[in-house]
Every structure is written in structure tokens, then in C-alpha cells.
Amino acid sequence: MAKPPKIVGEHKKEFRVIPPPPQDMIVHPVDVSKGTFELYLTKTSKDKILEHCNAFADQKLEVMGFLIGDVLRWKNRFFSLVKDVVSTDLKATNISVRFAKEGFEPLFEELDGLNYDYLIVGWYHSHPGLGCFMSKKDIETQKRTFNKPYHMALVVDPLKTEMKAYKLKDEGYVEKKFAVYLETG
Amino acid sequence: MDLESDNTVEEIIESAASFWSKDPGAYVLKWGRKLLRGGLMISDAGIRDGDTLELIPDPEGGI
Ligand SMILES: [Zn+2]
């Protein structure tokens, strides 16, 4: 019988020190005077999420994907920057969603196609017609797979045109304000 | 991670999950573009020294 696998070293990713997107690049919220945010999404990522959620909204099917980007540090604060979103074939109903088994390899191909050292900074999923909140199952998923302080959950109701961001807090969750910005280049 | 040729994918996920305090049932193992399945042995998968394996979350949304 084989010896169990042994971890022989650990390399921790350093969070780079970079300022958040400047106020004149932020397109949501309109009033940015309320300080900094813990989550910034590029407008392209936000549009891609909405497009995905809207595509299945009529059938009231939930959709899901990963929020991809980086975690950065500025003035002793951490923030997540979502530069891309990825998804694949799903197993979904109007009240549940997960990746289909056959969806993983196309998903990996999409991840490998990203030409930077990415982090999965959270996930998005939709609640068509049910409003934005974290269900018991969503909280359980957040605790099992997205339990780092920077991990976010983005919930979208395409029928009520709502999008909200959440993080774990104590045994439950808390809503976080987020910003959408126009990337340059 | 030190592995033996007859270690299984399941054992790799369990060891990594335990080291980083993760729930082994909530992740899948990515080897390049391949999804590695639970009972598969390192030798049968063709994994070589220096290859990168990644734990990828397998989230579930629902009411
Ligand atoms: Zn949900």
C-alpha cells in the first residue's frame, strides 16, 4: 500500500501593492464618494455575467461561473479585482446549479487560456425571479470553497435586474458594495 | 507534494485539503486540461515529476 501523499513545501502568493481603479474609470455606482470598495469588476466581466444570466432567464434556469482576477493591496486594505468570468456546461434547475461533470475539461481549457497568473476570487450565480440573497446551500458552498477573506459571492436576479455581492460573516453573510470600472487598453 | 506511483487522485485531494484546511468533497483535481477522477492512480494517469495539479472548487448553488 502506498504512503499517503506528503506536502513538502508551501508557496504563498504575495498580494501585489496596486491602487484600486481611479474614480473617473468607475461607471457604477454613480456616487463614488463613499470611499473604497472590496470588489471591483471590469465592465466586460459584469456584462458577460448579465449576458449569461439573461440567456437562461426566460427558462428560469440558474447559471453559475467563477469570478477570475487578482487580490491586491493598497493602504493596508485588500480588494478583489475581477478581470474575467468563466463558466461551462451546467446542471441547472430553477432552484439549483452546479458544473456538469463533462463541463470541467472545457472549463479548465478556458482557465488555461487566461494569459496571467489568475486567482479564483469567488463565484457568481443567478436566482431568476427569486431576488438576491444567499440561501442555506449558497452559504454552505461559500464556507466549503470560498472561505478566504477576499472571496466573494455575486448573486444576480436577471428578472428583477438585481446584482448583489456578499461575503461570509460569522455564521451568515453580509452584503458588500462593489464597483464596476472601465478597463483601459 | 511527494507522491508514490500508486497514490490515487482521491488521496491527493484529501492530503491537499487537509493541509490547507479545505473540504475534500468540494474540490476537483485539475491536471492541465484533464479532470482527474477519484480512484485513478498516479501511474495510470501518466502524471510525472514536476507536473502541476490544481484544486478547483466544485460549487453548488441552490435554495
Ligand atoms: Zn443561490
Side-chain angles (χ1 to χ4, degrees), chain A residues 66-174:
Chain A
F66 287 144
L67 304 173
I68 306 288
D70 208 351
V71 178
L72 303 169
R73 199 154 54 90
W74 186 249
K75 292 183 178 169
N76 296 321
R77 293 173 70 113
F78 291 91
F79 62 93
S80 299
L81 205 62
V82 176
K83 298 195 247 180
D84 282 297
V85 294
V86 295
S87 186
T88 187
D89 294 338
L90 301 168
K91 205 173 146 195
T93 69
N94 56 353
I95 52 160
S96 70
V97 65
R98 67 185 307 176
F99 294 132
K101 279 276 171 282
E102 65 276 14
F104 278 104
E105 293 189 351
L107 182 77
F108 297 164
E109 204 168 326
E110 225 185 315
L111 288 171
D112 285 354
L114 299 168
N115 55 357
Y116 54 91
D117 187 18
Y118 66 83
L119 259 183
I120 298 174
V121 299
W123 63 309
Y124 71 88
H125 76 287
S126 64
H127 284 174
L130 300 171
C132 295
F133 62 96
M134 292 283 279
S135 70
K136 213 171 145 192
K137 183 154 242 161
D138 297 338
I139 296 171
E140 203 180 294
T141 288
Q142 200 72 15
K143 286 182 180 169
R144 294 176 83 195
T145 46
F146 300 108
N147 52 12
K148 297 277 180 210
Y150 58 80
H151 275 143
M152 286 280 179
L154 204 64
V155 181
V156 180
D157 184 339
L159 299 173
K160 294 185 179 168
T161 59
E162 285 176 8
M163 181 186 274
K164 289 186 178 172
Y166 304 107
K167 260 188 182 181
L168 288 176
K169 190 179 182 197
D170 306 323
E171 283 309 296
Y173 67 95
V174 63

Side-chain angles (χ1 to χ4, degrees), chain B residues 8-60:
Chain B
T8 61
V9 168
E10 206 167 4
E11 288 172 331
I12 297 174
I13 296 180
E14 273 169 16
S15 292
S18 136
F19 186 82
W20 283 289
S21 311
K22 291 175 185 292
D23 179 342
Y27 291 84
V28 294
L29 199 61
K30 173 182 182 295
W31 174 46
R33 293 178 182 191
K34 285 224 171 311
L35 171 71
L36 298 176
R37 316 243 171 211
L40 189 68
M41 282 196 291
I42 297 297
S43 51
D44 295 339
I47 297 166
R48 288 158 179 267
D49 226 10
D51 281 355
T52 301
L53 304 175
E54 289 172 73
L55 280 183
I56 299 289
D58 182 10
E60 203 177 344

